[in-house]
Amino acid sequence: MPKIYIVGIGPGSYEQMTIKAARTLELCDVIVGYHVYTDLVMPHYPDKEYLSTPMTKEADRCRMCFEEAMKGKTVAIICSGDAGVYGMAELMLGIGRDYPDVLLETVCGVTAAVSGAALLGAPLIQDFAVISLSDRLTPWEKIEKRIRAAAQADMVICLYNPSSRARHDYLQRACDLILGFTSGETVCGIAENIGRAGESCSLHTLRELRDIPVNMFSTVFIGNSQTCIINGKMVTPRGYRL
């Protein structure tokens, strides 16, 4: 039976890929993905066939996988982080209804909330919300509602896709919403280029954060009312007696 693996490759570096993800790519004949992600894995799997489509052509990329699988090839479609967190798993499973003879298996990866939190310290020890600021597929009104709800509930908030050329002020808008419910001194952090060249992290107050330039390779963490800095690390206490 033809098979396609839907693989999350983690933040970017081979060392931060799960063992199962790395072994799965070894088994495959064809690796399909956005070129940024195929470029990351190509040095470790140079003998594979690689196929790619541009940004916004995700559905074409998925159908390409099924076409290759129907030729008898073992195929992996890759995405950064985890395939089930803003990844390709949902789209592949949806399109897979047109290809009932192809078996699909999702291989989990390490999403940016987890890898970015490790860089910053321990910001996600209490309840947290992960919200994407990209409104390409989700209306901004719905994103705004989710931000308000998470801020009002005093949850740590992790923001994906915080800015782009077309959305240069979206992080500022999100911070302004959150400032309606929490202090401007709230501890925040930014993780940049996680697992890739130029990896870095920085700490800021919420008031400072709204004016800091970020991009699509930034993951933003906004603490709750208990989040603090301990020895230069962003920490959200869980409540253990020390």
Side-chain angles (χ1 to χ4, degrees), residues 62-195:
C62 291
R63 294 193 181 278
M64 184 183 294
C65 292
F66 287 101
E67 292 168 4
E68 293 300 310
M70 295 301 289
K71 297 175 185 177
K73 299 176 183 179
T74 301
V75 181
I77 183 167
I78 61 173
C79 54
S80 66
D82 179 83
V85 181
Y86 303 112
M88 301 297 290
E90 174 266 337
L91 188 55
M92 284 293 293
L93 291 168
I95 292 175
R97 289 177 293 193
D98 297 334
Y99 300 87
D101 295 329
V102 179
L103 183 64
L104 296 175
E105 180 180 337
T106 301
V107 179
C108 66
V110 181
T111 189
V114 175
S115 55
L119 275 181
L120 288 164
L124 305 182
I125 299 299
Q126 287 191 23
D127 296 339
F128 64 94
V130 177
I131 301 173
S132 171
L133 295 190
S134 172
D135 60 356
R136 187 168 72 87
L137 299 175
T138 303
W140 174 254
E141 292 75 18
K142 184 171 287 188
I143 296 170
E144 182 177 296
K145 184 177 180 180
R146 292 169 178 171
I147 293 169
R148 288 182 185 274
Q152 190 170 18
D154 194 28
M155 299 178 76
V156 176
I157 301 173
C158 179
L159 297 175
Y160 283 27
N161 308 311
S163 182
S164 68
R165 283 193 296 268
R167 298 181 294 102
H168 61 89
D169 64 338
Y170 276 32
L171 178 58
Q172 187 177 79
R173 291 163 67 176
C175 289
D176 288 341
L177 289 171
I178 296 167
L179 280 165
F181 300 94
T182 190
S183 167
E185 298 305 307
T186 299
V187 176
C188 300
I190 303 174
E192 301 270 6
N193 299 304
I194 306 166

